[in-house]
Amino acid sequence: MESAKKTSFNNVEEYLASVADARQRSILERVRTTIKRTVPDAEETISYQMPAYRYHGILLYFAAWKNHWGLYPASNSIKETFRDELAHYKQTKGAIQFPWDDPFPDALLIKLIKKRVEENRTATQVNGAANFKTKK
């Protein structure tokens, strides 16, 4: 991770504090706030050395990189569901890359989060809560 000072974090505060660029850190803090406001009961943790959120299973991860911040939705269907809205963002197999100099996509991020909550709730109902490590 090029934007972080160290590679091992105990919590999201440490992760955010390691992002040297104040503007980039501010964007990531907005990502965090958006997630927490959208899913107040989500568990916040560090996984794969990235901020991660769980609610009826993993919701998503995010991370800082040199030229973008990455959103890792932990879902194969998210990019297909929001294909048109994500069309101008670079995507990899598991990530959506948002350039630092693009306006922050508040409304889009909220839609993605809500879709992940719906997917996780459906999976919990279909597969049973025992298959998911979560308190909610």
Side-chain angles (χ1 to χ4, degrees):
M1 177 179 319
E2 295 181 36
S3 292
K5 293 178 187 174
K6 66 180 193 173
T7 59
S8 181
F9 307 99
N10 295 312
N11 55 52
V12 175
E13 287 83 13
E14 281 185 13
Y15 183 93
L16 294 172
S18 76
V19 178
D21 183 285
R23 182 174 174 275
Q24 292 177 358
R25 188 173 48 257
S26 175
I27 289 170
L28 295 179
E29 288 169 351
R30 286 180 61 199
V31 172
R32 179 188 193 196
T33 298
T34 301
I35 295 166
K36 290 172 82 170
R37 283 186 182 155
T38 306
V39 190
D41 292 333
E43 175 190 356
E44 182 177 74
T45 189
I46 294 290
S47 184
Y48 301 106
Q49 291 306 310
M50 295 183 283
Y53 295 82
R54 299 182 65 82
Y55 183 79
H56 293 280
I58 193 68
L59 284 176
L60 53 84
Y61 309 82
F62 67 83
W65 302 101
K66 182 178 180 181
N67 297 314
H68 67 276
W69 65 272
L71 183 71
Y72 304 84
S75 168
N76 293 328
S77 67
I78 288 292
K79 290 189 286 186
E80 182 61 31
T81 300
F82 298 98
R83 177 182 27 212
D84 293 341
E85 292 171 274
L86 294 171
H88 95 269
Y89 298 107
K90 184 176 179 182
Q91 299 173 46
T92 64
K93 183 178 179 183
I96 305 160
Q97 298 177 2
F98 297 95
W100 293 117
D101 59 356
D102 262 5
F104 182 80
D106 290 287
L108 178 56
L109 183 56
I110 291 168
K111 286 183 192 179
L112 296 173
I113 295 165
K114 287 181 176 181
K115 179 64 175 170
R116 287 295 297 128
V117 167
E118 177 188 317
E119 288 177 349
N120 282 2
R121 283 184 175 157
T122 299
T124 299
Q125 291 169 353
V126 170
N127 299 318
N131 293 332
F132 296 91
K133 295 177 183 175
T134 185
K135 295 178 184 175
K136 301 287 176 190

